[in-house]
């Protein structure tokens, strides 16, 4: 199948300081049930250190027609999917989520939500390496509260000794 006869889209962006170029080519009217377009994505990455160009080609099939999603829109959808996969990769590598023993009830969803909260708070704080940010937070109990803007000043902090004291009735 020749992909370059279909419509095309191209864009550049920077990833970790290196330019990354994407070309999206589509072919319509496929003879496969349910498939409306075949997509070829060619990724060009230029190494910052060596200047060497590496090419990666990925193929996909979609049920969206050319009117519903042209090459540029398909590129956006695929990049959006990569964002989700990047989050899953961070959760799996940092928290070993795929090896988790939690399988019943709401526990897996609750833990995924807690992990997403931690990752999101670290990202909002400008932390680029989540594993390093988690180790820093584990060493300092107040760091997590600071990230969530939940710190107490000495004036507003409740007196725990007084609050926990048993008072006669």
């Amino acid at each position: 199948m020749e992909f370059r006869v279909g419509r095309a889209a191209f864009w550049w962006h920077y990833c970790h300081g290196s330019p990354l170029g994407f070309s999206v080519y589509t072919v319509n009217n496929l003879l496969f049930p349910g498939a409306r377009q075949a997509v070829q994505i060619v990724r060009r990455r230029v190494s910052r250190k060596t200047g060497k160009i590496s090419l990666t080609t990925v193929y996909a099939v979609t049920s969206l027609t050319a009117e519903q999603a042209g090459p540029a829109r398909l590129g956006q959808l695929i990049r959006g999917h990569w964002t989700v996969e990047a989050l899953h990769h961070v959760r799996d590598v940092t928290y070993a989520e795929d090896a988790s023993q939690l399988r019943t009830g709401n526990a897996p969803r609750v833990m995924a939500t807690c992990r997403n909260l931690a990752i999101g708070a670290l990202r909002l704080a400008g932390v680029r390496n989540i594993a390093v940010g988690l180790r820093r937070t584990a060493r300092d109990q107040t760091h997590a509260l600071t990230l969530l803007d939940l710190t107490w000043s000495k004036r507003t902090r409740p007196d725990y000794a007084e609050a926990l004291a048993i008072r006669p009735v």
Side-chain angles (χ1 to χ4, degrees), residues 18-109:
S18 297
L20 200 57
F22 292 90
S23 299
V24 178
Y25 302 97
T26 61
V27 174
N28 302 320
N29 304 325
L30 302 177
L31 299 175
F32 188 80
R36 298 293 177 253
Q37 293 186 84
V39 183
Q40 179 189 51
I41 301 139
V42 180
R43 184 179 72 190
R44 291 170 188 81
R45 182 176 180 276
V46 181
S47 172
R48 275 188 308 167
K49 294 179 182 176
T50 64
K52 181 182 172 190
I53 297 174
S54 63
L55 294 174
T56 306
T57 303
V58 178
Y59 297 94
V61 177
T62 181
S63 62
L64 298 173
T65 65
E67 291 76 29
Q68 291 173 315
R73 178 68 180 137
L74 288 171
Q76 290 174 340
L77 292 170
I78 291 166
R79 282 197 327 245
H81 178 73
W82 289 340
T83 303
V84 171
E85 287 300 318
L87 174 62
H88 176 73
H89 176 75
V90 169
R91 283 188 356 209
D92 187 35
V93 170
T94 306
Y95 293 107
E97 190 173 63
D98 288 347
S100 174
Q101 298 290 321
L102 296 173
R103 303 264 189 261
T104 59
N106 290 326
R109 182 172 291 157

Side-chain angles (χ1 to χ4, degrees), residues 21 23 103 140 146 164:
S23 299
R103 303 264 189 261
D140 180 9
T146 304
L164 296 175

Side-chain angles (χ1 to χ4, degrees), residues 6-21:
R7 298 188 302 167
F10 182 79
W11 68 92
W12 282 95
H13 82 269
Y14 284 83
C15 180
H16 303 289
S18 297
L20 200 57

